[in-house]
Amino acid sequence: MAAVAGEKRRGRNAALSIAAIAIVVGLPLWWKTTETYRASLPYTQISELDTLQLQLTVELEVVFSKGSLTAEQQKTAPLQQTREAEHLLNSKTELRYKYETKYRTATVMEDDAVRLESVEEADVSLSKLNESPSGSLVIYVIPETSALLPQGVSVYVGKHRTALLRTPQDRGAKLVEVLRGLQPDIQRVVETMSFSDVDIKAALSDRVPVGKLGKESLADSMRTFKSSPGYEITFSLLNPDPKSHDVRWDIEGALESYIQPLLSKLSGVANFSVDSQILYYAILGVTPRYDSKVSSYTLNAENLPHVINPVEARLGSNAASSHPVLNFLLYVPDYPHSPLYIKDRGGDKVPTNAFHSPRWGGIMVYNVNEKYTDPPRLPVHISINMVRVMEVFLAQLRLLLGVQQPHAPADFLLQSPGNEGLTDWELDRLLWVRTVENIATATTTLTSLAQLLDEIGNIVINDNIASEVYSAVTSIQAAIAELESCNLGLAFQASKEATLSSEKAFFDPSLLHLLYFPDDQKFAIYIPLFLPMSVPILLSLLKIASELRERRKEPAKID
């Protein structure tokens, strides 16, 4: 009996040891080795960024030239004045505009520049004397008697960050009254050269209710390509009838003269790659209609959307690119359908004979019917007038990249950018809008990612994803701080880094590894592994518990 009792004791001890090892060591080890790794993320900071509060600070310098102020008014000139305006778009988006204005009188060299013969020479000279940083403006106030500006022009905006403002002089007024009278004109200059409330709201279109955006602002935001680290631009010559037309174009020289100066100005905004191609036997998706009134073929505005799809299939650049592609097509009509003209919704011919498609590109129809002889000698040798073509494509490219022409008042004279393709203040306008757009995009992306990871607990969060998220949060905070300090260039770079980091984190492929691994599949894997081992252990524990209960019920023996 003693041997049997000892054997039972050893069996109980063995069962208890195995159960203890399985519970104390096995379960924690299995739980640790099979748990989903989730690096920590700054959820609190992301939640704070979801409530977007932006302050855009513009530094202005108002310079009074000789004769614009009296001697008495100059004595009481203030050094600095700050004005703020707040706009609450919704419960999670608030805008604050801060205008820091410094007043001073012109130096001798600046007065000499204002007295030059032409306003263009004065603008160049003044810009050299005051090389204003990105985001700031210098406004020169000239007396009403000055002949520098043409008749009927009150404000001249040059190629740089300087403007000339002609204003009547009230010698009897106090300086405070003079400055108060200048404020509306200064505000108009700021809205033309920097940004307007409409521009910023359009950049926040994803966060602003549609009702608060005008139709024109909404159309502009839908036309422009979204901010991207790079763009690909493709110029294509479409020759549907090479047997009748021998077409040649100097695309390399045209790009060097017209497109490259603009892209050089925008090199800090994004990277650009440009290529060109010639497509033969490429026809439009719509058959033109013959209009006997004008003895030509026409394309109506209703048919233009159907023109793009058949041609796009032959371009071949969209599928191979990870960046947005801007397509510019020059179409030479075939001999049977020439000349071909585009009509607007009013039935009138479009002067440029071209149209653009939002976030896609533009198409220009180039007629060559004047080259035909009677009887025609085919093929007709055609040399494309690249000046006329590139003027159209350059205007379309500016629109699609977000370089919007401001709606300046009638008494404003805006200097053309010329061969440079872009003025300094136009670049600043683009940077203001793109910076705000990037910040809004990055915050929205991070908020969506945080909500996704919080709701689905079995998504792996690797260290590289956490690093990108932390980098995005830091960059957003830096961009907001730089905007408040009027460091527009640094603010844009930080906002671009925030967008890149947030999108890298959101679209990281490792987030999908365990996303579609439901619980029933986990049970199907673990039950065959644990059931054969756990059943004997459970039965042994139940037997030991039963024996203990029976032993407690037995009466104690008394000798």
Side-chain angles (χ1 to χ4, degrees):
M1 294 296 293
V4 175
E7 187 66 25
K8 287 183 178 181
R9 190 181 303 109
R10 284 194 296 270
R12 286 195 301 269
N13 294 337
L16 291 173
S17 301
I18 294 174
I21 293 173
I23 295 174
V24 176
V25 179
L27 282 177
L29 182 62
W30 166 76
W31 183 267
K32 187 64 179 177
T33 55
T34 58
E35 71 174 349
T36 301
Y37 181 74
R38 293 171 66 87
S40 62
L41 296 180
Y43 290 103
T44 303
Q45 298 180 29
I46 294 175
S47 177
E48 293 174 354
L49 291 175
D50 186 35
T51 303
L52 191 59
Q53 295 179 340
L54 291 179
Q55 176 179 303
L56 280 63
T57 302
V58 181
E59 293 182 353
L60 304 173
E61 191 173 13
V62 179
V63 182
F64 293 95
S65 64
K66 187 176 182 181
S68 58
L69 290 178
T70 63
E72 187 66 26
Q73 291 170 345
Q74 292 181 20
K75 293 179 181 179
T76 57
L79 297 178
Q80 190 168 349
Q81 189 179 58
T82 301
R83 184 170 56 89
E84 294 186 0
E86 294 186 2
H87 299 270
L88 183 63
L89 303 184
N90 52 43
S91 59
K92 291 190 175 182
T93 308
E94 180 182 355
L95 291 174
R96 184 183 296 110
Y97 306 136
K98 185 177 181 181
Y99 306 96
E100 295 182 350
T101 308
K102 297 179 181 179
Y103 299 92
R104 66 175 177 87
T105 56
T107 62
V108 176
M109 298 180 66
E110 289 172 333
D111 280 329
D112 292 340
V114 170
R115 287 195 292 267
L116 292 175
E117 294 183 358
S118 68
V119 66
E120 291 82 5
E121 294 177 351
D123 177 60
V124 173
S125 179
L126 291 173
S127 64
K128 292 180 180 178
L129 294 175
N130 268 300
E131 295 184 358
S132 304
S134 179
S136 61
L137 301 175
V138 180
I139 302 175
Y140 288 90
V141 181
I142 59 177
E144 188 179 17
T145 56
S146 174
L148 187 61
L149 300 184
Q151 189 68 26
V153 175
S154 299
V155 176
Y156 172 83
V157 178
K159 295 183 180 181
H160 306 283
R161 299 182 178 92
T162 57
L164 294 171
L165 170 61
R166 181 163 58 187
T167 180
Q169 185 182 28
D170 189 355
R171 294 185 174 274
K174 295 182 179 180
L175 182 61
V176 177
E177 298 174 353
V178 173
L179 298 182
R180 188 183 301 115
L182 283 177
Q183 282 303 323
D185 292 329
I186 293 176
Q187 184 62 31
R188 291 193 303 165
V189 174
V190 172
E191 293 180 354
T192 300
M193 299 182 67
S194 292
F195 60 84
S196 65
D197 183 54
V198 175
D199 298 330
I200 302 303
K201 287 181 179 179
L204 296 170
S205 57
D206 294 339
R207 302 175 64 100
V208 178
V210 179
K212 291 192 176 183
L213 292 177
K215 293 183 178 180
E216 190 171 353
S217 300
L218 186 60
D220 290 341
S221 64
M222 294 177 64
R223 178 195 301 118
T224 305
F225 276 88
K226 287 290 186 181
S227 181
S228 173
Y231 299 91
E232 294 193 10
I233 306 174
T234 301
F235 293 89
S236 303
L237 173 62
L238 275 58
N239 186 0
D241 191 6
K243 293 182 180 179
S244 302
H245 299 148
D246 180 18
V247 185
R248 301 178 183 275
W249 66 339
D250 183 17
I251 186 62
E252 185 176 355
L255 294 177
E256 187 68 26
S257 301
Y258 290 90
I259 304 299
Q260 194 55 47
L262 173 63
L263 301 186
S264 299
K265 276 269 193 176
L266 294 173
S267 59
V269 178
N271 298 321
F272 295 90
S273 63
V274 184
D275 55 31
S276 62
Q277 60 182 345
I278 300 178
L279 301 178
Y280 296 103
Y281 301 102
I283 61 175
L284 300 178
V286 178
T287 303
R289 294 183 179 181
Y290 184 76
D291 190 348
S292 57
K293 296 180 181 180
V294 294
S295 301
S296 61
Y297 290 87
T298 61
L299 284 175
N300 297 325
E302 293 77 11
N303 298 328
L304 296 181
H306 305 288
V307 171
I308 295 176
N309 290 342
V311 177
E312 188 176 23
R314 295 199 55 186
L315 296 179
S317 57
N318 294 358
S321 175
S322 59
H323 297 305
V325 180
L326 288 79
N327 298 286
F328 295 96
L329 278 57
L330 181 63
Y331 180 77
V332 180
D334 54 347
Y335 180 75
H337 296 100
S338 185
L340 175 62
Y341 295 100
I342 299 175
K343 289 188 175 182
D344 57 21
R345 297 190 182 276
D348 300 325
K349 288 183 181 179
V350 177
T352 59
N353 212 26
F355 70 96
H356 68 273
S357 179
R359 297 184 183 179
W360 186 83
I363 297 179
M364 178 181 181
V365 177
Y366 191 92
N367 290 310
V368 295
N369 54 299
E370 71 275 1
K371 301 288 185 179
Y372 297 153
T373 59
D374 191 16
R377 296 180 180 180
L378 304 178
V380 179
H381 298 282
I382 302 165
S383 179
I384 300 294
N385 182 1
M386 299 305 296
V387 175
R388 179 159 65 96
V389 172
M390 281 300 160
E391 286 178 350
V392 175
F393 284 162
L394 181 60
Q396 293 178 344
L397 178 61
R398 283 166 53 93
L399 283 176
L400 294 171
L401 290 178
V403 185
Q404 308 288 349
Q405 186 70 21
H407 302 286
D411 58 342
F412 275 48
L413 176 60
L414 306 183
Q415 178 66 28
S416 171
N419 294 332
E420 296 179 1
L422 191 70
T423 62
D424 292 343
W425 59 268
E426 283 180 325
L427 177 60
D428 287 354
R429 281 182 63 92
L430 180 63
L431 291 181
W432 283 114
V433 173
R434 291 300 194 193
T435 302
V436 174
E437 179 186 340
N438 287 341
I439 292 174
T441 301
T443 53
T444 303
T445 302
L446 289 179
T447 302
S448 301
L449 178 61
Q451 292 176 350
L452 176 69
L453 297 178
D454 186 55
E455 293 174 0
I456 305 177
N458 60 341
I459 295 183
V460 176
I461 306 177
N462 292 326
D463 290 335
N464 62 316
I465 296 177
S467 176
E468 295 293 347
V469 171
Y470 275 100
S471 175
V473 170
T474 303
S475 297
I476 292 174
Q477 294 172 341
I480 294 175
E482 297 296 349
L483 279 180
E484 294 180 359
S485 303
C486 193
N487 296 323
L488 181 57
L490 296 177
F492 173 75
Q493 293 300 328
S495 70
K496 187 165 69 170
E497 293 173 2
T499 304
L500 291 175
S501 297
S502 63
E503 291 186 351
K504 281 183 181 179
F506 190 86
F507 294 105
D508 194 288
S510 64
L511 292 175
L512 302 177
H513 286 175
L514 293 181
L515 183 58
Y516 301 104
F517 194 57
D519 293 336
D520 56 349
Q521 294 187 14
K522 295 180 181 179
F523 287 118
I525 294 174
Y526 293 135
I527 286 177
L529 177 64
F530 289 105
L531 191 61
M533 178 185 68
S534 59
V535 169
I537 295 176
L538 290 175
L539 291 177
S540 299
L541 292 177
L542 290 175
K543 185 177 180 181
I544 293 172
S546 177
E547 290 178 353
L548 289 175
R549 285 196 300 270
E550 291 178 358
R551 185 177 304 174
R552 289 175 181 175
K553 291 179 181 179
E554 292 179 358
K557 294 182 179 181
I558 302 175
D559 294 336

